[in-house]
CSV table of all heavy atoms in Angstrom, one decimal:
chain,number,residue,atom,x,y,z
A,75,ARG,N,-9.1,-15.3,-12.8
A,75,ARG,CA,-9.6,-16.4,-13.5
A,75,ARG,C,-8.4,-17.0,-14.4
A,75,ARG,O,-8.1,-18.1,-14.6
A,75,ARG,CB,-10.7,-16.1,-14.4
A,75,ARG,CG,-11.3,-17.3,-15.0
A,75,ARG,CD,-12.7,-16.8,-15.9
A,75,ARG,NE,-13.7,-16.1,-15.0
A,75,ARG,CZ,-14.4,-15.0,-15.4
A,75,ARG,NH1,-14.3,-14.5,-16.6
A,75,ARG,NH2,-15.2,-14.4,-14.5
A,98,PHE,N,-6.8,-20.6,-22.7
A,98,PHE,CA,-7.5,-20.0,-21.8
A,98,PHE,C,-8.9,-19.4,-22.3
A,98,PHE,O,-10.0,-19.6,-21.9
A,98,PHE,CB,-6.9,-18.9,-21.0
A,98,PHE,CG,-7.5,-18.1,-20.1
A,98,PHE,CD1,-8.2,-18.6,-18.9
A,98,PHE,CD2,-8.0,-16.6,-20.5
A,98,PHE,CE1,-9.0,-17.7,-18.2
A,98,PHE,CE2,-8.7,-15.9,-19.6
A,98,PHE,CZ,-9.2,-16.5,-18.5
A,99,LEU,N,-8.7,-18.8,-23.6
A,99,LEU,CA,-9.8,-18.1,-24.2
A,99,LEU,C,-10.8,-19.1,-24.7
A,99,LEU,O,-12.0,-19.0,-24.6
A,99,LEU,CB,-9.3,-17.2,-25.3
A,99,LEU,CG,-8.6,-15.9,-24.9
A,99,LEU,CD1,-8.0,-15.2,-26.0
A,99,LEU,CD2,-9.4,-15.0,-24.0
A,100,SER,N,-10.2,-20.2,-25.2
A,100,SER,CA,-11.1,-21.4,-25.6
A,100,SER,C,-11.8,-22.0,-24.4
A,100,SER,O,-13.1,-22.2,-24.6
A,100,SER,CB,-10.2,-22.5,-26.3
A,100,SER,OG,-9.6,-22.1,-27.4
A,101,ASN,N,-11.2,-22.0,-23.3
A,101,ASN,CA,-11.9,-22.4,-22.2
A,101,ASN,C,-13.0,-21.6,-21.7
A,101,ASN,O,-14.1,-21.9,-21.4
A,101,ASN,CB,-10.9,-22.5,-21.0
A,101,ASN,CG,-11.5,-23.1,-19.8
A,101,ASN,OD1,-12.0,-22.2,-18.8
A,101,ASN,ND2,-11.5,-24.3,-19.4
A,102,LEU,N,-12.8,-20.3,-21.8
A,102,LEU,CA,-13.9,-19.3,-21.6
A,102,LEU,C,-15.1,-19.5,-22.5
A,102,LEU,O,-16.3,-19.5,-22.0
A,102,LEU,CB,-13.4,-17.9,-21.6
A,102,LEU,CG,-12.4,-17.4,-20.7
A,102,LEU,CD1,-12.0,-15.9,-20.9
A,102,LEU,CD2,-12.9,-17.4,-19.2
A,103,ARG,N,-14.9,-19.8,-23.8
A,103,ARG,CA,-15.9,-19.8,-24.7
A,103,ARG,C,-16.6,-21.2,-24.4
A,103,ARG,O,-17.9,-21.2,-24.6
A,103,ARG,CB,-15.3,-20.0,-26.1
A,103,ARG,CG,-14.8,-18.7,-26.6
A,103,ARG,CD,-14.2,-18.8,-28.0
A,103,ARG,NE,-15.1,-18.3,-29.0
A,103,ARG,CZ,-14.9,-18.1,-30.2
A,103,ARG,NH1,-13.8,-18.6,-30.7
A,103,ARG,NH2,-15.8,-17.6,-31.1
A,104,GLN,N,-15.9,-22.2,-24.1
A,104,GLN,CA,-16.6,-23.5,-23.7
A,104,GLN,C,-17.6,-23.4,-22.4
A,104,GLN,O,-18.6,-24.0,-22.3
A,104,GLN,CB,-15.6,-24.6,-23.5
A,104,GLN,CG,-15.0,-25.0,-24.7
A,104,GLN,CD,-13.8,-26.0,-24.5
A,104,GLN,OE1,-13.3,-26.2,-23.2
A,104,GLN,NE2,-13.0,-26.4,-25.5
A,105,ARG,N,-17.1,-22.3,-21.6
A,105,ARG,CA,-17.8,-22.3,-20.3
A,105,ARG,C,-19.1,-21.3,-20.6
A,105,ARG,O,-19.9,-21.0,-19.6
A,105,ARG,CB,-17.0,-21.7,-19.2
A,105,ARG,CG,-16.0,-22.6,-18.7
A,105,ARG,CD,-14.9,-22.1,-17.7
A,105,ARG,NE,-15.5,-21.2,-16.9
A,105,ARG,CZ,-14.8,-20.4,-16.2
A,105,ARG,NH1,-13.5,-20.4,-16.2
A,105,ARG,NH2,-15.3,-19.6,-15.2
A,106,GLY,N,-19.2,-20.8,-21.9
A,106,GLY,CA,-20.4,-20.0,-22.2
A,106,GLY,C,-20.3,-18.6,-21.9
A,106,GLY,O,-21.4,-17.8,-21.8
A,107,LEU,N,-19.2,-18.0,-21.6
A,107,LEU,CA,-19.0,-16.5,-21.3
A,107,LEU,C,-19.5,-15.7,-22.5
A,107,LEU,O,-19.3,-16.2,-23.7
A,107,LEU,CB,-17.6,-16.2,-21.1
A,107,LEU,CG,-17.4,-15.8,-19.5
A,107,LEU,CD1,-17.5,-17.3,-18.8
A,107,LEU,CD2,-16.0,-15.4,-19.3
A,108,SER,N,-20.2,-14.5,-22.4
A,108,SER,CA,-20.5,-13.7,-23.5
A,108,SER,C,-19.3,-13.2,-24.3
A,108,SER,O,-18.2,-13.2,-23.7
A,108,SER,CB,-21.4,-12.6,-22.9
A,108,SER,OG,-20.5,-11.7,-22.1
A,109,VAL,N,-19.5,-12.7,-25.3
A,109,VAL,CA,-18.5,-12.2,-26.2
A,109,VAL,C,-17.8,-11.0,-25.6
A,109,VAL,O,-16.6,-10.7,-25.5
A,109,VAL,CB,-19.1,-11.9,-27.7
A,109,VAL,CG1,-18.0,-11.0,-28.4
A,109,VAL,CG2,-19.5,-13.1,-28.4
A,110,ARG,N,-18.8,-10.3,-24.8
A,110,ARG,CA,-18.3,-9.0,-24.2
A,110,ARG,C,-17.2,-9.4,-23.1
A,110,ARG,O,-16.3,-8.8,-22.9
A,110,ARG,CB,-19.5,-8.3,-23.6
A,110,ARG,CG,-19.1,-6.9,-23.1
A,110,ARG,CD,-20.3,-6.2,-22.7
A,110,ARG,NE,-20.0,-4.8,-22.5
A,110,ARG,CZ,-21.0,-3.9,-22.2
A,110,ARG,NH1,-22.2,-4.2,-22.2
A,110,ARG,NH2,-20.5,-2.7,-21.8
A,111,SER,N,-17.6,-10.4,-22.3
A,111,SER,CA,-16.7,-10.9,-21.2
A,111,SER,C,-15.5,-11.5,-21.7
A,111,SER,O,-14.4,-11.3,-21.1
A,111,SER,CB,-17.5,-11.9,-20.3
A,111,SER,OG,-18.6,-11.2,-19.7
A,112,TYR,N,-15.6,-12.2,-22.7
A,112,TYR,CA,-14.5,-12.9,-23.4
A,112,TYR,C,-13.4,-11.8,-23.8
A,112,TYR,O,-12.3,-11.9,-23.6
A,112,TYR,CB,-15.0,-13.7,-24.6
A,112,TYR,CG,-14.0,-14.4,-25.4
A,112,TYR,CD1,-13.5,-15.6,-25.2
A,112,TYR,CD2,-13.6,-13.7,-26.6
A,112,TYR,CE1,-12.6,-16.2,-26.1
A,112,TYR,CE2,-12.7,-14.3,-27.4
A,112,TYR,CZ,-12.2,-15.5,-27.2
A,112,TYR,OH,-11.3,-16.1,-28.0
Side-chain angles (χ1 to χ4, degrees):
R75 191 179 299 142
F98 171 70
L99 295 173
S100 294
N101 181 271
L102 293 181
R103 290 178 106 179
Q104 291 171 358
R105 291 172 43 194
L107 258 66
S108 70
V109 172
R110 191 174 188 176
S111 294
Y112 172 91

